[in-house]
Structures are given as structure tokens and as C-alpha cells.
Amino acid sequence: MAMTTNSFRADLHCHTTASDGSESAETVMQLAKQAGLSALSITDHDTVAAYETAIPAAQQHGILLLPGIEFSTILQGTSVHILGYGFRLDHPAILSLCAKHAERRKNRNLAMLERLDRLGMSLNYEDLTNAIPVELASIGRSIGRPHIAFALVKKGYVETLQAAFEQYIGEGRPCFVQGDSFSVDETIDVIHQAKGIAVIAHPHLIKKTELLNELLKKNFDGIECFYGKFPGAAYERWLKIAKYKNWLVTGGSDFHGKAKPNQQLGCSWIGQEPFQAILDSLPKHS
Ligand code: AMP
Ligand code: ZN
Ligand code: FE
Ligand code: FE
């Protein structure tokens, strides 16, 4: 049997109970160890709250932890996710953008609850914060549509999370509210100010060609070529783009625990070479 020269694997996209994952940062770190991962980035939506517990847990398990986040932005009226890596976790520009997103989410969740209420589905804000079990203090947690979907199922208003999105809270559905929007450019700027790199998340999910084309003109440093359960040749197209643009190649599972049971931690990853390229690129921003 041919020995693989290197068993290094880095999963650079996963969520914890600090946003819409079902597992705590400590549990995610245990799962990373079990999955044989060498490096991990926790990329919660619009928050870095998980890092307080993730940093000691990573040290305990000997996992290399790369600072990460997944910011929500809007381009051409459509939601676009941007991954940030390697930035300073306590940089004021990052913390300020996270605080603005927390305010956006609160207003938007209340507006969505109001719309659901009008259709006879009444939920309290506590139903959302309790929807995904957490030990973490609620400060700094990003609450959003997955929490609403869980709560709707729990209350018996819909049967599945998917049905909640399809009937009520998916983009364009009657109870969907976008809320304040943050642009791609300002989000990339914030990540750069905090000495990090900005990466297009899961381009595989972008359906509109014009949107992708506009995104490819932006000041990104990398693109998430390997994503979730997308098989085989699905990444070739993105690797070609990365090469053409001279962008970094990233990848990860987008693990959410029970919220996305088909995407196990480590189901998508990058090897040592692209991971080292990310680390090597970081000082350029300092
Ligand atoms: P939010 O940030 O509150 O807008 O919620 C966005 C998250 O909801 C995404 O990251 C997905 O994890 C999840 N999501 C979006 N659309 C769907 C869908 N159709 N079914 C299940 N989950 C979804
Ligand atoms: Zn999510
Ligand atoms: Fe995403
Ligand atoms: Fe994600």
C-alpha cells in the first residue's frame, strides 16, 4: 500500500452554538480530534463568540485553530456569505461589524416573528434562543432563521426545518425579512483592516451568473473550492478560477451538527500545502 506522504487535513468551515450549529465549541473540537483533523477554523455567522472556549479546547486536543468567521452580505439583492480567516479576533473593526450584525439580527428576527404571528404562528424570542440547546451565554450568539425553523418545528407549526424555509422563511417567502444589509466591499475591508484574508464562501451554491461574475471582480484573497458534500469534479471549476485569479484555495464541511445532519465535520478539507499558503499570506496584510 502506498503511504500517503502527508495526512494533514484542515476543515476551515464549521458552526457552533454561538450561531446556528447544534454543538458547542468544545464538542466540535472533540469531533475534530476524532475525525483526525490537524487544523480547524470555526466560522460562525457574524460572531467570534465561540473562540473564548474554542482556543483552550484546541490547545487541549492539539488542534491548530485558525481564527474564522462567516459574514452575511448582500449583493444584487441576494445573500452572499464571505469567510474571513486569520484576522485578529479582538480587532475593533471586526467586533464593531459583529455588533452591527447582532443589532440587525435582533430587529430582523422580531420582524419575522411579527409576520409569522400574523399567519397564526406565535413564537417568543425565548423560543428562538432555546431552539438550539446551549450552555454558552446568549451574549454574542448569532440567532437567525435556523433558530426560527427549529422553533416552528418544536411548536408543531411545521413538520420539518426544510418545510419552514420552503413555506415561510426562505428568501422570497412570506415571512422572510432581509434586514439591514452590509455590502461585500465593506465586509472585505473590515477583514483586511483586521489583518485577515477574505474568501468567497461556497460558490457552488451561487445560482446567478451575473452575481458570480460581479463577485469575482471584488477584492477577495481566496475562494472556497472544496465544500460540504459536493463530490468529485465539483471543485475543478473553482480551482481553475483560483489559479486564474491567483487566489488562495480553501475548503471545509460547513458542519452544523443536527441542523445539517448530512455534513459531518471533516467531510471536506484542504491539505497542508494550501493551508500553509493561507498562513504565509497573512503577514502581507500587516
Ligand atoms: P440567516 O443567517 O439567519 O439568514 O440564516 C441563514 C442560514 O440558514 C444558512 O446559513 C443556512 O444554514 C440556513 N438555511 C438557509 N436556507 C435554508 C434552507 N432552505 N433549508 C435549511 N437551511 C437553510
Ligand atoms: Zn449556518
Ligand atoms: Fe454559508
Ligand atoms: Fe456556513
Side-chain angles (χ1 to χ4, degrees), residues 13-15 19-20 43-45 70 81 83 201-202 224 227 253-256 260 263:
H13 191 156
C14 67
H15 298 265
S19 65
D20 56 358
T43 51
D44 277 310
H45 299 286
E70 183 172 21
H81 285 172
L83 293 160
H202 40 63
E224 189 176 43
Y227 175 71
S253 60
D254 205 6
F255 173 78
H256 282 71
K260 285 187 185 176
Q263 284 166 233

Side-chain angles (χ1 to χ4, degrees), residues 191-268:
I191 296 167
H192 285 165
Q193 277 172 47
K195 320 289 182 207
I197 57 160
V199 172
I200 301 178
H202 40 63
H204 319 60
L205 305 181
I206 297 170
K207 295 184 189 86
K208 289 188 263 177
T209 311
E210 306 134 60
L211 180 66
L212 180 65
N213 287 342
E214 196 176 336
L215 215 46
L216 292 176
K217 290 183 202 144
K218 301 288 187 190
N219 190 21
F220 285 104
D221 311 283
I223 180 164
E224 189 176 43
C225 298
F226 302 94
Y227 175 71
K229 280 280 177 83
F230 279 83
Y235 51 80
E236 293 291 346
R237 179 181 178 199
W238 312 114
L239 285 175
K240 269 188 206 150
I241 289 176
K243 198 166 175 184
Y244 171 75
K245 303 284 294 184
N246 198 22
W247 278 352
L248 296 159
V249 169
T250 79
S253 60
D254 205 6
F255 173 78
H256 282 71
K258 295 178 193 76
K260 285 187 185 176
N262 296 329
Q263 284 166 233
Q264 290 312 308
L265 196 68
C267 74
S268 206

Side-chain angles (χ1 to χ4, degrees), residues 12-270:
L12 299 184
H13 191 156
C14 67
H15 298 265
T16 73
T17 47
S19 65
D20 56 358
S22 65
E23 308 306 320
S24 67
E26 288 101 329
T27 304
V28 168
M29 222 51 80
Q30 278 168 15
L31 292 171
K33 188 74 186 169
Q34 281 164 24
L37 293 170
S38 311
L40 191 78
S41 183
I42 291 174
T43 51
D44 277 310
H45 299 286
D46 311 315
T47 178
V48 290
Y51 279 86
E52 194 178 335
T53 47
I55 291 169
Q59 276 167 358
Q60 187 195 329
H61 292 291
I63 307 251
L64 236 158
L65 183 62
L66 179 69
I69 194 160
E70 183 172 21
F71 276 123
S72 313
T73 73
I74 302 290
L75 186 65
Q76 296 180 2
T78 306
S79 155
V80 169
H81 285 172
I82 297 181
L83 293 160
Y85 293 114
F87 53 86
R88 279 181 26 211
L89 284 162
D90 60 352
H91 194 284
I94 290 282
L95 297 179
S96 154
L97 184 54
C98 289
K100 287 181 199 160
H101 272 289
E103 187 63 20
R104 165 184 77 91
R105 284 181 173 278
K106 195 169 147 220
N107 296 333
R108 169 188 187 235
N109 289 336
L110 287 169
M112 286 194 279
L113 290 190
E114 201 177 305
R115 290 191 179 201
L116 286 164
D117 193 56
R118 271 189 245 142
L119 296 183
M121 290 166 284
S122 136
L123 295 174
N124 299 317
Y125 215 90
E126 295 73 57
D127 295 325
L128 310 190
T129 47
N130 296 332
I132 297 176
V134 274
E135 304 92 55
L136 200 85
S138 59
I139 293 227
R141 278 185 76 200
S142 283
I143 307 290
R145 288 183 293 153
H147 303 80
I148 296 179
F150 268 105
L152 287 170
V153 172
K154 219 164 155 181
K155 289 257 164 151
Y157 292 129
V158 290
E159 286 198 4
T160 62
L161 299 176
Q162 202 52 37
F165 278 95
E166 278 166 16
Q167 294 173 34
Y168 302 114
I169 56 172
E171 272 184 87
R173 306 309 301 149
C175 302
F176 174 76
V177 174
Q178 188 73 267
D180 293 342
S181 67
F182 294 88
S183 74
V184 169
D185 292 321
E186 69 182 309
T187 304
I188 295 176
D189 271 356
V190 163
I191 296 167
H192 285 165
Q193 277 172 47
K195 320 289 182 207
I197 57 160
V199 172
I200 301 178
H202 40 63
H204 319 60
L205 305 181
I206 297 170
K207 295 184 189 86
K208 289 188 263 177
T209 311
E210 306 134 60
L211 180 66
L212 180 65
N213 287 342
E214 196 176 336
L215 215 46
L216 292 176
K217 290 183 202 144
K218 301 288 187 190
N219 190 21
F220 285 104
D221 311 283
I223 180 164
E224 189 176 43
C225 298
F226 302 94
Y227 175 71
K229 280 280 177 83
F230 279 83
Y235 51 80
E236 293 291 346
R237 179 181 178 199
W238 312 114
L239 285 175
K240 269 188 206 150
I241 289 176
K243 198 166 175 184
Y244 171 75
K245 303 284 294 184
N246 198 22
W247 278 352
L248 296 159
V249 169
T250 79
S253 60
D254 205 6
F255 173 78
H256 282 71
K258 295 178 193 76
K260 285 187 185 176
N262 296 329
Q263 284 166 233
Q264 290 312 308
L265 196 68
C267 74
S268 206
W269 48 273
I270 54 167

